Amino acid sequence: MDNSDFDSHDHRILAELQADARLSMAELGRRVHLSQPAVTERVRKLEDLGVISGYQAIVNSAKLGYAMRAVIRVGRCDESRVLRALEASPEVLTAYNVTGEDSWILEIAVRDVAHLDQVLQRYCQLAQTSTAIILKVLREHAPLRPAPPLENDPGEAPSPNPSKQKKTRRSGSV
């Protein structure tokens, strides 16, 4: 499925489900102005295509006793060692293998500074690390919309779709 295959109903369905995945199909249908069977069919299609890859509860880490969150940047090291450290680290919320000076970026939740130090010890043994404590979250779990189509670069060939090409008139002799 290409971005151009999404219509305004699909966009609204995705926005509503990202805001509240617990909506009933009847309520979702009311919000996007479709019947319950029609919205159910569209949601199933989005799931089958992998556009909707799952549903989950968003948990407040502070309410579970994790007063701090931090980001750890881990330098270049053997991936198998990082994977073993991740298995021993339930505190890791997200782990990204990245390009650049570092190989890994980890987001963690910990109880306090002593707990942070415990987790850091696992990764400091693997490679050079740097850590930043998260002071404030400005955006998290933001809804994702389909990407807009790319515009043609000036040096790029025109679109093969004639209805999307601009018509120009040339003057001069033939």
Side-chain angles (χ1 to χ4, degrees):
M1 181 177 229
D2 178 298
N3 286 343
S4 62
D5 294 335
F6 293 106
D7 65 15
S8 62
H9 288 295
D10 294 322
H11 288 234
R12 292 196 319 248
I13 288 168
L14 290 170
E16 291 291 343
L17 287 176
Q18 287 179 87
D20 183 0
R22 296 183 68 188
L23 289 174
S24 69
M25 289 297 133
E27 177 59 24
L28 180 58
R30 277 192 288 281
R31 291 184 184 192
V32 301
H33 308 292
L34 289 173
S35 68
Q36 180 179 345
V39 81
T40 300
E41 182 180 327
R42 284 175 178 260
V43 169
R44 282 199 182 115
K45 180 181 88 173
L46 292 166
E47 290 170 344
D48 290 346
L49 292 168
V51 175
I52 297 174
S53 60
Y55 301 89
Q56 69 183 64
I58 298 171
V59 177
N60 181 332
S61 57
K63 299 283 185 184
L64 293 177
Y66 298 99
M68 294 175 60
R69 286 179 30 200
V71 176
I72 304 171
R73 294 172 48 187
V74 182
R76 294 190 178 112
C77 59
D78 181 57
E79 183 174 342
S80 63
R81 293 179 67 204
V82 173
L83 294 175
R84 282 193 300 277
L86 286 171
E87 287 174 15
S89 304
E91 302 87 352
V92 176
L93 304 173
T94 55
Y96 302 103
N97 182 219
V98 297
T99 62
E101 291 181 29
D102 299 311
S103 290
W104 299 89
I105 297 177
L106 313 175
E107 180 187 349
I108 65 170
V110 292
R111 292 182 305 276
D112 51 29
V113 174
H115 189 192
L116 173 63
D117 187 48
Q118 268 183 344
V119 175
L120 283 174
Q121 292 308 313
R122 290 181 205 131
Y123 296 94
C124 289
Q125 295 172 11
L126 304 177
Q128 185 172 356
T129 65
S130 72
T131 305
I133 294 172
I134 298 171
L135 299 175
K136 184 189 311 183
V137 177
L138 300 176
R139 179 182 296 181
E140 188 171 57
H141 311 294
L144 188 61
R145 295 181 218 150
L150 295 175
E151 294 184 25
N152 286 345
D153 283 340
E156 189 176 297
S159 168
N161 184 342
S163 66
K164 292 186 179 180
Q165 292 180 3
K166 292 182 181 177
K167 296 187 180 190
T168 58
R169 178 180 285 188
R170 293 182 186 225
S171 60
S173 61
V174 178

